[in-house]
Amino acid sequence: MRAPRGDFRVRAADDPPSLLVVILDVAALAWTDIAGDKATATLQSVIEQLLVFLNSFMLLHESNRICVILASPDGAQLVFPELSEPGSRCSDIDLVAEDNALDAATAGSGFTLHAEQTPLKLRDAVLAGVKEAFRAQEGEVASAPAPISTALATALCLHNRAKSIKSTRSSLSLGQGNGQANNDSGTCNGRILMLIASEDAPEQYVPVMNCIFSAQRMGVPLDSCIHGDKDSTYLQQAAYLTNGVCLRPNEFSTENPNVLIQILQTVFLTDRLNRDFLAMPTPRKVDFRASCMKTRQIIEDGYTCSVCLSTFATTVAKGAAMCPICSARFAITSRVKRRPPRP
Amino acid sequence: MYAQAARARARKQVDVDKDDDELKRAKEAYAWESSNVRSWDQIEEDPETGKLKSFVREKQIARKRSRDDGFTGVRRGIIRFCVLIIDMSEHVRATDLKPSRADLFCESVSSFAKEYFDQNPISQLSVVMTRDYEAIKLSSFSSNEKHHIEAMRKALRLGPSGAASLQNALKIANKNLSTVPPYAMKEVIVCYGSLSTCDPGDIHATINLLASSKVRCSAVGLGAELHILRVLTKSTNGTYSIAMNEEHFRDSLGSHVIPPPTTTKQVSASLIRMGYPILQRIDEPTLYCNNPSVRGRLGYNCPRCSGWLSEMPCECTLCGLTLVSSPHLARSYHHLFPVPKFISLETSDLDLRLQSKEDEAKFAKAMKLLPIDVLRCTGCAKLLEKEASLRLLCPSCVKVFCVDCDAFVHDSLHHCPGCGV
Ligand SMILES: [Zn+2]
Ligand SMILES: [Zn+2]
Ligand SMILES: [Zn+2]
Ligand SMILES: [Zn+2]
């Protein structure tokens, strides 16, 4: 932990606003696995605590902005800011005004929503969205886990939009002495927080990794809080590669779901700049093991195809004449000459 | 005799003219030759309403078209062993490129190394410098960008001197590349500032040697084209470009970051034995095997011999197993599972490649979207009006996207936010 800088007060005033995209897992099956009969009650409690957290986040900076995405087996749904469906009841002018509001919401400058209205709106929007998502899942017999990659990709698209608005704004207002606009326009000051109940799905591996690399390039930390009782390899790697935090709070249980608020407030409230000054939880281990592309089993050592870099377990690779993924023919090399060790 | 030589020269001339590169370069004007760009010329008034016409849509169409060019479905050499040859002769002292040619080389190579390892994480790099009629290896093959950036700093400290020797540098590069495993792509990239080379023997023999050992040689030159570099790059299937200014030099070098296309003849495919260890934090600081002067609590255990290592990717110093982490490999998976190109939702002749019943359902879905005036982008929720902005359709999930999301999805994200449900 480093000592805070001397000009702390000046810096705090100059802190740029941030955009926080929250992804809430609403897969009914996953919550039932965790809490059994109390699934709805537990999720209700998690949402209440999340709303308190979001309101405290809004209080940190007058231009801090929030988007909430629900991840359900049917895909990702942006529930806040509330958007009406185009083409139906509203006139086009309303829609354009709304779009501008979203621009302002994601870029976080100039436009201020009515302070006393936002928490209520947020609450209504999230609760209505969750109810809707649960209703949609009711009919399905075996509902799948939520595809995290879809929600993550939508969240990153929102960050990309915020970033492009910000960079055009700052290029327009250059030279006007506007301190906030030319504040690091290259990297957007945003974060993504995932509240996840589902377990890792092997078919999600490639899309999730692609999202992680994109977030890494954009400088968006991926935070995650896991409610299930299994560690998530994907989310651990996401946090490690993007300087985020991945937590699976042991204290959280069906009997005592109210401990979540403490974790949210103490760990996930701090932004990227201030995390340097605090002792953030560090992972005990990050699972970088590969999974066999054929059998889906996790492997610690195995074979890699030199053309497509697919990984295979030893049993699959033995005697293979052709790559099962990219169908490249393997040359029959008796032995690869090893390079002499470096001095 | 004379006539024959003249004919040969003429044929060569035609060959050079045919070169695509050459033609492309001839079309590009120098900055001082191009006409002034006046942004107000692009604005036009609508005669009926008196409002300014929006050119956003035209611009978006142009951008989409320029992005759609380029190959897909080409086999690329993903595991690369690349030798960078840096000219540090008296000629790079010149300050025609700011701050000086030598500084430009060092700065560009450092940023090249960073991007190279971002895009090709399990590839390796080595730096060779030539000056004073000889060539020196500054860094051996490794996947750690710090080694090469340090090597470039060393080159700058030594400073430019004497004349460059291309043959000596190529010989060292060839020797380095001779121990590379057969599944790897072998490459040489020459950054050359001189207009001459001072060689101890027949350089054509060295070039033939490189060509026969399937090394792909490319060059980025300064000032003027050199015949010997043209011969080198042509006989080894590389590319050769002459930088017009600093920016162009960076771009030309940067174009080598993307893995080059290969053929089976050039690089043989094989399965490589690898370990994928777990990153661990242990209670007691322990000496690292690969760096025996340092202790640490954060590291990796080799799955074969349990050696304690500090960084990846590397080769285990105890048992020689190649160790990588799965994210290193996953970085290139988007080449394997690319997002389909988005098609524009404008007229009814949508290029959806109808093949099955499923595709017909997709087509019907797309047809329903077509007449709607205002749609919302699936990615960023931006409103897309029919007249004002280009609307694009993902052919596999039939959802609408804006131009910005199209660029973002294909260039950075490599995953469609509408697919995968
Ligand atoms: Zn393969
Ligand atoms: Zn070992
Ligand atoms: Zn969009
Ligand atoms: Zn799609």
Side-chain angles (χ1 to χ4, degrees):
Chain A
M1 188 173 156
R2 270 194 274 148
R5 280 195 223 153
D7 57 343
F8 187 71
R9 196 177 299 207
V10 182
R11 242 177 53 77
D14 283 353
D15 266 351
S18 12
L19 166 66
L20 172 68
V21 182
V22 177
I23 296 172
L24 178 63
D25 186 348
V26 289
L29 186 73
W31 284 104
T32 316
D33 273 355
I34 292 169
D37 303 336
K38 292 185 196 157
T40 336
T42 312
L43 182 58
Q44 184 80 31
S45 154
V46 167
I47 292 170
E48 291 297 341
Q49 294 174 70
L50 174 68
L51 288 170
V52 174
F53 164 73
L54 290 178
N55 286 330
S56 7
F57 173 77
M58 296 285 268
L59 290 174
L60 282 180
H61 195 291
E62 55 171 3
S63 313
N64 268 357
R65 290 295 162 241
I66 294 169
C67 293
V68 181
I69 295 173
L70 299 184
S72 73
D74 300 324
Q77 183 77 35
L78 180 68
V79 289
F80 185 82
E82 261 183 302
L83 302 168
S84 43
E85 200 51 48
S88 51
R89 54 223 144 77
C90 300
S91 69
D92 286 357
I93 301 147
D94 281 350
L95 283 169
V96 173
E98 197 180 272
D99 205 36
N100 289 339
L102 183 68
D103 269 359
T106 45
S109 67
F111 193 89
T112 318
L113 296 164
H114 298 297
E116 69 277 15
Q117 219 175 6
T118 314
L120 282 176
K121 260 194 179 172
L122 176 68
R123 192 192 159 83
D124 289 348
V126 172
L127 288 177
V130 172
K131 211 174 263 174
E132 182 64 35
F134 261 77
R135 200 179 307 132
Q137 288 177 64
E138 239 163 41
E140 288 160 42
V141 185
S143 71
I148 294 166
S149 64
T150 309
L152 208 47
T154 314
L156 287 167
C157 281
L158 285 168
H159 273 293
N160 184 50
R161 177 173 174 185
K163 193 179 162 190
S164 57
I165 295 165
K166 214 174 172 187
S167 59
T168 44
R169 283 249 175 89
S170 61
S171 67
L172 283 176
S173 61
L174 262 184
Q176 286 178 6
N178 191 340
Q180 209 174 58
N182 45 36
N183 224 336
D184 67 312
S185 58
T187 57
C188 73
N189 196 9
R191 282 187 281 153
I192 296 175
L193 170 64
M194 296 173 268
L195 300 179
I196 298 299
S198 309
E199 284 175 23
D200 291 347
E203 67 274 7
Q204 289 264 300
Y205 178 68
V206 175
V208 168
M209 286 319 274
N210 282 336
C211 291
I212 294 173
F213 298 137
S214 191
Q216 192 184 19
R217 273 191 288 270
M218 288 168 77
V220 175
L222 301 179
D223 296 333
S224 46
C225 188
I226 299 160
H227 297 103
D229 47 10
K230 262 194 198 150
D231 276 325
S232 161
T233 319
Y234 302 167
L235 298 179
Q236 269 180 4
Q237 297 189 22
Y240 180 78
L241 293 169
T242 60
N243 287 323
V245 178
C246 175
L247 273 188
R248 189 170 60 81
N250 287 324
E251 305 86 14
F252 180 81
S253 66
T254 329
E255 285 76 43
N256 194 14
N258 294 330
V259 293
L260 189 64
I261 184 67
Q262 188 196 342
I263 295 152
L264 289 173
Q265 299 282 44
T266 50
V267 179
F268 295 114
L269 203 56
T270 42
D271 66 5
R272 202 179 51 189
L273 293 169
N274 289 319
R275 281 181 191 186
D276 291 349
F277 301 102
L278 297 169
M280 301 305 285
T282 44
R284 188 130 190 102
K285 64 170 198 181
V286 182
D287 196 341
F288 282 134
R289 286 177 301 176
S291 70
C292 174
M293 294 271 205
K294 204 72 187 292
T295 61
R296 300 272 182 214
Q297 82 196 79
I298 303 289
I299 47 173
E300 203 170 7
D301 67 329
Y303 287 88
T304 302
C305 167
S306 72
V307 176
C308 64
L309 304 186
S310 309
T311 46
F312 303 106
T314 322
T315 45
V316 176
K318 276 261 160 69
M322 189 193 238
C323 172
I325 301 291
C326 70
S327 50
R329 283 189 182 283
F330 296 132
I332 306 149
T333 41
S334 52
R335 187 164 260 197
V336 176
K337 200 163 54 172
R338 279 237 307 114
R339 281 183 291 125
R342 281 196 297 279
Chain B
M1 188 70 182
Y2 176 73
Q4 208 177 349
R7 216 174 304 137
R9 211 179 306 132
R11 204 178 309 134
K12 194 174 261 169
Q13 200 64 46
V14 171
D15 275 351
V16 171
D17 281 350
K18 267 187 198 154
D19 206 336
D20 281 352
D21 252 38
E22 207 87 10
L23 277 175
K24 218 167 89 195
R25 231 179 310 140
K27 272 186 208 156
E28 279 170 18
Y30 287 98
W32 57 89
E33 288 173 347
S34 66
S35 57
N36 286 333
V37 180
R38 290 179 298 198
S39 54
W40 55 90
D41 281 352
Q42 297 173 4
I43 301 173
E44 205 176 286
E45 212 170 89
D46 193 319
E48 281 171 34
T49 57
K51 281 182 186 165
L52 292 180
K53 263 190 189 171
S54 167
F55 275 77
V56 178
R57 200 182 140 85
E58 274 74 16
K59 254 191 210 155
Q60 286 177 346
I61 291 173
R63 231 176 85 194
K64 165 82 181 152
R65 200 163 293 146
S66 73
R67 282 183 9 81
D68 280 353
D69 296 342
F71 308 102
T72 48
V74 180
R75 177 160 158 189
R76 293 177 184 279
I78 284 183
I79 303 178
R80 305 164 70 187
F81 280 73
C82 179
V83 181
L84 274 170
I85 295 177
I86 312 295
D87 178 3
M88 269 291 155
S89 64
E90 211 41 66
H91 295 273
V92 297
R93 217 182 266 283
T95 54
D96 54 345
L97 297 177
K98 302 290 173 241
S100 80
R101 287 179 174 194
D103 286 309
L104 180 68
F105 277 175
C106 293
E107 179 233 302
S108 323
V109 166
S110 304
S111 59
F112 172 77
K114 270 190 201 128
E115 272 174 52
Y116 179 85
F117 289 119
D118 184 59
Q119 293 282 313
N120 313 278
I122 57 169
S123 299
Q124 308 208 4
L125 208 62
S126 161
V127 181
V128 170
M129 168 181 89
T130 169
R131 58 171 222 164
D132 281 337
Y133 316 104
E134 56 182 17
I136 316 157
K137 184 163 80 177
L138 290 178
S139 62
S140 312
F141 276 124
S142 88
S143 296
N144 193 336
E145 65 188 44
K146 280 182 209 134
H147 294 170
H148 309 300
I149 293 171
E150 185 47 47
M152 287 315 295
R153 279 209 202 103
K154 194 178 158 198
L156 211 54
R157 259 203 312 276
L158 290 169
S161 122
S165 169
L166 189 59
Q167 193 191 6
N168 281 335
L170 289 176
K171 267 186 174 165
I172 287 198
N174 195 31
K175 200 177 138 212
N176 271 358
L177 287 167
S178 62
T179 51
V180 162
Y183 52 77
M185 175 90 197
K186 291 182 266 188
E187 279 174 274
V188 170
I189 299 172
V190 185
C191 297
Y192 214 66
S194 317
L195 293 178
S196 60
T197 163
C198 190
D199 298 332
D202 181 13
I203 190 165
H204 289 280
T206 314
I207 291 174
N208 288 339
L209 197 66
L210 284 165
S212 65
S213 44
K214 288 159 196 155
V215 181
R216 185 182 195 265
C217 302
S218 299
V220 184
L222 297 178
E225 182 172 317
L226 266 183
H227 176 66
I228 195 67
L229 284 177
R230 174 62 71 190
V231 170
L232 169 73
T233 52
K234 210 158 193 186
S235 55
T236 58
N237 295 319
T239 59
Y240 182 27
S241 55
I242 311 290
M244 292 186 285
N245 50 36
E246 294 89 345
E247 202 50 46
H248 189 217
F249 180 79
R250 277 183 212 113
D251 288 349
S252 308
L253 191 61
S255 69
H256 294 287
V257 165
I258 302 159
T262 56
T263 55
T264 339
K265 274 181 203 150
Q266 225 167 349
V267 182
S268 64
S270 62
L271 284 172
I272 313 158
R273 182 93 212 222
M274 280 189 189
Y276 319 98
I278 303 172
L279 176 69
Q280 278 167 330
R281 188 180 296 275
I282 52 172
D283 294 327
E284 202 59 36
T286 311
L287 283 176
Y288 290 118
C289 297
N290 57 340
N291 193 357
S293 55
V294 183
R295 289 166 186 276
R297 290 177 56 202
L298 197 67
Y300 305 88
N301 272 118
C302 171
R304 196 194 278 171
C305 68
S306 306
W308 181 241
L309 300 144
S310 66
E311 59 170 35
M312 277 212 287
C314 70
E315 228 166 72
C316 175
T317 23
L318 296 184
C319 69
L321 185 66
T322 309
L323 300 174
V324 294
S325 66
S326 54
H328 283 130
L329 304 173
R331 268 177 196 278
S332 64
Y333 287 163
H334 66 84
H335 294 299
L336 279 182
F337 313 106
V339 183
K341 263 179 199 163
F342 290 177
I343 50 177
S344 85
L345 185 67
E346 287 207 307
T347 48
S348 52
D349 57 325
L350 289 170
D351 183 23
L352 270 176
R353 293 211 185 77
L354 303 174
Q355 274 163 357
S356 60
K357 274 248 168 67
E358 220 174 287
D359 286 341
E360 270 164 43
K362 277 182 192 170
F363 188 76
K365 205 172 155 195
M367 279 297 111
K368 253 184 223 159
L369 288 173
L370 190 60
I372 302 176
D373 279 335
V374 186
L375 289 166
R376 204 181 271 292
C377 170
T378 316
C380 66
K382 192 182 278 179
L383 284 174
L384 304 168
E385 282 169 82
K386 202 172 187 179
E387 300 303 321
S389 47
L390 194 60
R391 305 188 291 187
L392 301 158
L393 203 64
C394 168
S396 76
C397 64
V398 200
K399 282 180 181 157
V400 184
F401 291 91
C402 69
V403 183
D404 292 326
C405 285
D406 173 44
F408 179 62
V409 164
H410 287 94
D411 296 344
S412 170
L413 197 55
H414 304 297
H415 174 56
C416 168
C419 297
V421 180

